[in-house]
Amino acid sequence: MITEISPDQFTEDVTESLRDVAEAADQADQVNTLNEQTCLSLKHHGLSGARLWLASDDAGTPVGLALLRGHDLDLVVRPDARNQGVGSGLMAQVAATGDRIEAWSHANHPAAAQLADRFSVPLERELIVMSRRTALPVPPVELPTDISIRTYHPGDEEELLRINAAAFKQHPEQGHMTLADFRDRTAEPWFDPNGLFLAIDAASDSILGFHWTKVHRDEKPPYGEIYVVAVDPHAAGRGLGKVLTAVGLQHLATTGVDDVILYVEGDNEPALAVYYGQGFARLRSEVQYQGTPRS
């Protein structure tokens, strides 16, 4: 049975059901099934601007979910309920809205590919997840004489968001980060202002780029992440990306984690070459399907 949950029905019991389905899928697929933006949106905004369908078995136990917020779709089926038509049933509900969707398969799962093919939603993007041991030495880089590095201070938000938007102008998710999004993230327990590094122009005292690191201490084992590296396009060609990356890697090596990961577009050959040169290796890929599903 599939039921649509209205915003006023989004109770703690429903939240617990979502968590149970997602955690079972996480364990089976060895990825975080619901991404950070989805979790933050549910935490801070509930189902405002979203639609949620829950699939349940004959005993009334939730076995799958489809969450559509704008064009972003999260569809998850509990491992023991797969290959029983649950995913197709949820996708049919989404297709009935007539909306265009953008849906990530964080494990690049064959079942996601089959479902996308069944509903004629083409694969459009690939992200490469790369990993590096913190025990590896950080390749030496030279800080330009007209640049200094400092950590984040309250009041830096406007410039950080400006640089982020300019650096990721073509990036569908990252480039659209708002002040509310930024504040949601800095309110999370993982946020450490001493792990957000800024490159400062000595002459103007303006911010030219930043490296935001993240430590996932709630994971087993914990690991670090190159969360965001962004450089003002007007400062391109000065080697700031490499400098900021090296500073962040040196910091993450002091946090007690053994590994650092990052995400990079699969067709960004220059970035891939840089990260391979810094000791990163490919860990897995994540893919995104985009289009209007047709049942």
Side-chain angles (χ1 to χ4, degrees):
M1 180 177 66
I2 296 177
T3 304
E4 182 168 5
I5 305 299
S6 65
D8 61 342
Q9 294 174 317
F10 191 65
T11 62
E12 182 57 37
D13 287 343
V14 173
T15 301
E16 186 66 27
S17 295
L18 299 186
R19 187 179 298 117
D20 289 345
V21 171
E23 287 181 352
D26 291 352
Q27 292 176 11
D29 301 331
Q30 294 298 295
V31 297
N32 290 325
T33 305
L34 299 179
N35 65 22
E36 180 184 55
Q37 183 58 53
T38 296
C39 294
L40 286 173
S41 293
L42 287 172
K43 178 178 179 179
H44 294 285
H45 309 292
L47 292 183
S48 176
R51 297 183 69 176
L52 171 66
W53 295 267
L54 278 182
S56 303
D57 61 16
D58 292 340
T61 302
V63 295
L65 67 95
L67 176 67
L68 184 64
R69 189 183 300 274
H71 295 304
D72 295 329
L73 173 67
D74 291 281
L75 194 154
V76 187
V77 178
R78 210 174 64 190
D80 58 357
R82 293 174 180 174
N83 300 312
Q84 298 175 31
V86 175
S88 295
L90 288 165
M91 194 65 163
Q93 297 292 322
V94 175
T97 69
D99 291 337
R100 180 180 181 276
I101 65 166
E102 298 177 359
W104 283 102
S105 173
H106 298 289
N108 195 4
H109 201 287
Q114 294 169 4
L115 195 61
D117 182 65
R118 159 74 175 77
F119 286 86
S120 302
V121 183
L123 188 153
E124 295 291 346
R125 290 176 63 199
E126 179 186 33
L127 283 180
I128 305 299
V129 185
M130 306 185 79
S131 177
R132 181 188 191 277
R133 301 288 287 179
T134 55
L136 290 174
V138 177
V141 293
E142 186 174 345
L143 183 67
T145 57
D146 58 345
I147 298 295
S148 63
I149 301 292
R150 68 167 173 83
T151 53
Y152 165 81
H153 300 155
D156 290 329
E157 297 89 344
E158 183 177 343
E159 275 297 281
L160 289 179
L161 289 171
R162 180 190 64 78
I163 291 170
N164 184 80
F168 295 102
K169 186 176 181 180
Q170 305 302 323
H171 195 288
E173 296 91 11
Q174 184 62 36
H176 295 156
M177 183 166 61
T178 65
L179 180 59
D181 294 331
F182 182 84
R183 287 175 173 166
D184 285 347
R185 284 160 175 74
T186 56
E188 289 296 297
W190 62 262
F191 175 66
D192 177 8
N194 294 317
L196 175 46
F197 299 93
L198 284 58
I200 308 298
D201 182 80
S204 64
D205 199 37
S206 60
I207 301 171
L208 299 179
F210 65 91
H211 181 180
W212 193 349
T213 66
K214 180 177 182 179
V215 178
H216 297 259
R217 297 202 183 279
D218 55 342
E219 300 289 343
K220 297 181 181 179
Y223 60 89
E225 181 182 350
I226 293 183
Y227 190 51
V228 187
V229 177
V231 175
D232 189 328
H234 293 104
R238 299 170 67 177
L240 296 182
K242 286 185 179 180
V243 169
L244 285 164
T245 300
V247 168
L249 286 173
Q250 290 166 351
H251 165 73
L252 288 168
T254 70
T255 62
V257 299
D258 293 329
D259 294 281
V260 175
I261 69 162
L262 60 82
Y263 295 78
V264 60
E265 294 285 346
D267 59 358
N268 191 340
E269 294 297 337
L272 285 166
V274 168
Y275 291 132
Y276 280 125
Q278 291 174 325
F280 282 89
R282 180 178 176 135
L283 185 62
R284 67 174 192 276
S285 68
E286 301 188 356
V287 296
Q288 187 184 58
Y289 300 93
Q290 301 178 12
T292 303
R294 298 194 300 271
S295 56

